[in-house]
Structures are given as structure tokens and as C-alpha cells.
Amino acid sequence: MFYFEHKNKPLIPAPKFYRRLLYNLLLSFIVILVSLSIGIWGYISLAHLNFADALLNASMILGGMGPVNPMPNETSKYFASFYALFSGISFISTMAVLLAPVVHRAMHKFHIETDEDEEKK
């Protein structure tokens, strides 16, 4: 639906660019909600935390801060460990999706070319 224009094509108009930004923002929001839901489910079912504490722990790990509550058993500790690794990758991926239109537009506007492009000329 929203693809990036080729370097030989002109920049898309501002309204379309803002629509692309909104699309990527919504996509990022969905990824964050799914990631947060996985964390909440894991903390509720494996660490036996209530919803508020599960939400707090999942949010803190997803945001890069770390867990708040101690984990009561080994299973919950394993989950917290894997969720922390997953959250790091999720955060990096979400930031890439969020920043891709802006970086693409800047590179397109300034005609940044790679060595391969210069060799083809």
C-alpha cells in the first residue's frame, strides 16, 4: 500500500508523506500493543501477578528499564529473560519502521548514492 518511491522519481507530496508517516506510526503502535500483550499474558500466567503489576513489568521491560517485581519461580524467570530479549528486538524493529519514511525522504531529497550507483554511471 505505502511503498517508497524510486530515487529517479520525484518526492511524494507532503500529504502523502504524512499519510505514510501515520501508517508507519499505526503499524508501530500495533507492534507495541502485541508485544505488551505478550508480556502481560506471560506475567499473569507464569508469575501469577495481577493485571496492574503485569502491565507495569511488561511496560518497564519493553521500555528498556527492567522488571519491577521479583519473579517467584524458575518458569517466570525464564519467561522474563526471553521477554527482555524479545523486547529489545521489538524496540529496535519498531524504531526502524517509525523512522524509515523520514530517513528515506532525507536520503531521497539529498540524492545520497551508494558506491554501486556511482560505478554504474
Side-chain angles (χ1 to χ4, degrees):
M1 179 177 185
F2 292 96
Y3 58 93
F4 294 112
E5 61 278 5
H6 191 269
K7 68 178 182 177
N8 297 332
K9 304 285 182 185
L11 281 172
I12 60 172
K16 284 187 177 182
F17 174 68
Y18 294 133
R19 214 170 330 149
R20 181 181 290 164
L21 273 177
L22 180 63
Y23 174 78
N24 282 30
L25 180 68
L26 290 174
L27 184 62
S28 298
F29 185 69
I30 290 168
V31 170
I32 289 171
L33 280 179
V34 168
S35 299
L36 195 59
S37 299
I38 291 169
I40 291 170
W41 171 82
Y43 285 119
I44 288 174
S45 62
L46 300 174
H48 308 294
L49 298 177
N50 62 34
F51 179 78
D53 287 336
L55 174 64
L56 177 62
N57 274 300
S59 299
M60 293 295 282
I61 286 185
L62 196 57
M65 299 298 292
V68 178
N69 298 87
M71 297 296 104
N73 55 41
E74 281 191 27
T75 306
S76 61
K77 290 176 185 179
Y78 289 133
F79 170 76
S81 174
F82 288 113
Y83 183 67
L85 294 172
F86 165 79
S87 294
I89 294 168
S90 176
F91 177 77
I92 291 169
S93 302
T94 302
M95 291 309 297
V97 167
L98 206 61
L99 294 176
V102 176
V103 171
H104 176 266
R105 190 165 179 94
M107 289 178 69
H108 192 109
K109 187 171 185 170
F110 296 118
H111 303 289
I112 296 174
E113 296 180 357
T114 64
D115 292 335
E116 288 179 7
D117 295 334
E118 292 176 7
E119 290 174 4
K120 288 180 182 178
K121 290 183 180 179

